[in-house]
Amino acid sequence: EAQVTQNPRYLITVTGKKLTVTCSQNMNHEYMSWYRQDPGLGLRQIYYSMNVEVTDKGDVPEGYKVSRKEKRNFPLILESPSPNQTSLYFCASRGPYNEQFFGPGTRLTVL
Amino acid sequence: GESVGLHLPTLSVQEGDNSIINCAYSNSASDYFIWYKQESGKGPQFIIDIRSNMDKRQGQRVTVLLNKTVKHLSLQIAATQPGDSAVYFCAEEEERDDKIIFGKGTRLHILP
């Protein structure tokens, strides 16, 4: 089944404790991206990647890092999480006809 | 989940009627537009898209209209069903820079 998977689905952590949210897609898509979704603000793009070893900042990249060492994986790294990064995070990949496929989401709480 | 829906405008439609969800976009240079549906507890799901060289595109039970003059996009859902209940987002993209900007969303509520 063609899909985007994210792990973990839920995470509660404390300020300053480094964490990684993994994202994987099995559709051989070149374009992948990360979004955060907050009430009243909608979906905002954090980072995107056009291909392996190519990453670019989206609208809200501060406090986040990404890497794209292989096509299928695009992890999101929070080196020192803060409470304002409490949010619902979505990974997505985009196919050759521009249709984006979203993962199921990761709900992160930073205390 | 449900917290996504806070502060969103809501459109209530009788089951079987047509729904029209509107969206104003911000960038006059945007040349690609997409509508997404997000059900509670799930990620957004692609519905239909349209490029700026078109003003109308039809899918199965859905139609997207684009008015570039006033930077307005609409999604029409024919014969609305209970399964259409969700939050709907429009998104715009300037394809040369690959950034996608989402609208705030509209909740569609189906009345029995």
Side-chain angles (χ1 to χ4, degrees):
Chain A
E1 180 191 353
Q3 60 182 348
V4 178
T5 57
Q6 296 177 226
N7 281 291
R9 294 290 313 280
Y10 302 90
L11 179 61
I12 300 174
T13 189
V14 295
T15 299
K17 186 176 181 182
K18 181 179 178 180
L19 67 92
T20 299
V21 184
T22 64
C23 173
S24 183
Q25 51 97 1
N26 62 0
M27 296 168 278
N28 202 36
H29 290 164
E30 293 181 348
Y31 184 103
M32 297 183 74
S33 57
W34 274 103
Y35 297 87
R36 60 178 289 173
Q37 188 172 37
D38 303 288
L41 297 175
L43 279 152
R44 293 179 292 168
Q45 194 173 42
I46 303 170
Y47 269 95
Y48 63 98
S49 168
M50 296 294 293
N51 212 329
V52 175
E53 301 292 1
V54 179
T55 61
D56 285 289
K57 294 178 181 179
D59 293 313
V60 288
E62 295 79 19
Y64 304 94
K65 284 175 55 178
V66 291
S67 71
R68 189 88 184 275
K69 292 183 168 44
E70 47 192 342
K71 188 182 274 192
R72 64 182 292 123
N73 295 324
F74 190 44
L76 179 70
I77 303 152
L78 284 72
E79 294 271 4
S80 183
S82 62
N84 66 10
Q85 292 178 298
T86 292
S87 188
L88 180 58
Y89 291 87
F90 288 101
C91 179
S93 73
R94 189 161 78 180
Y97 302 106
N98 282 334
E99 181 174 341
Q100 279 210 105
F101 296 84
F102 282 82
T106 295
R107 186 168 290 283
L108 172 66
T109 301
V110 183
L111 302 175
Chain B
E2 285 303 315
S3 65
V4 166
L6 290 175
H7 316 300
L8 287 179
T10 298
L11 174 67
S12 295
V13 175
Q14 205 76 38
E15 183 179 347
D17 287 353
N18 297 335
S19 303
I20 300 176
I21 301 171
N22 296 304
C23 175
Y25 64 92
S26 55
N27 182 4
S28 56
S30 292
D31 47 18
Y32 178 62
F33 305 89
I34 318 106
W35 279 101
Y36 290 91
K37 172 186 181 183
Q38 187 175 22
E39 296 173 282
S40 182
K42 296 183 179 179
Q45 179 185 7
F46 173 95
I47 303 173
I48 191 168
D49 59 0
I50 188 168
R51 298 193 182 281
S52 58
N53 61 352
M54 302 173 70
D55 52 23
K56 180 179 180 178
R57 188 159 187 233
Q58 287 184 286
Q60 190 175 21
R61 261 196 332 116
V62 294
T63 301
V64 55
L65 298 176
L66 174 63
N67 185 330
K68 294 182 286 294
T69 304
V70 295
K71 293 192 286 187
H72 184 267
L73 196 64
S74 69
L75 176 71
Q76 300 178 2
I77 305 173
T80 310
Q81 302 168 358
D84 294 328
S85 180
V87 175
Y88 290 82
F89 294 94
C90 66
E92 59 181 300
E93 180 182 358
E94 201 178 335
E95 286 196 286
R96 65 183 175 88
D97 79 15
D98 290 303
K99 284 187 186 179
I100 300 174
I101 299 172
F102 281 78
K104 302 285 190 290
T106 298
R107 174 175 295 284
L108 179 63
H109 175 61
I110 313 303
L111 301 168

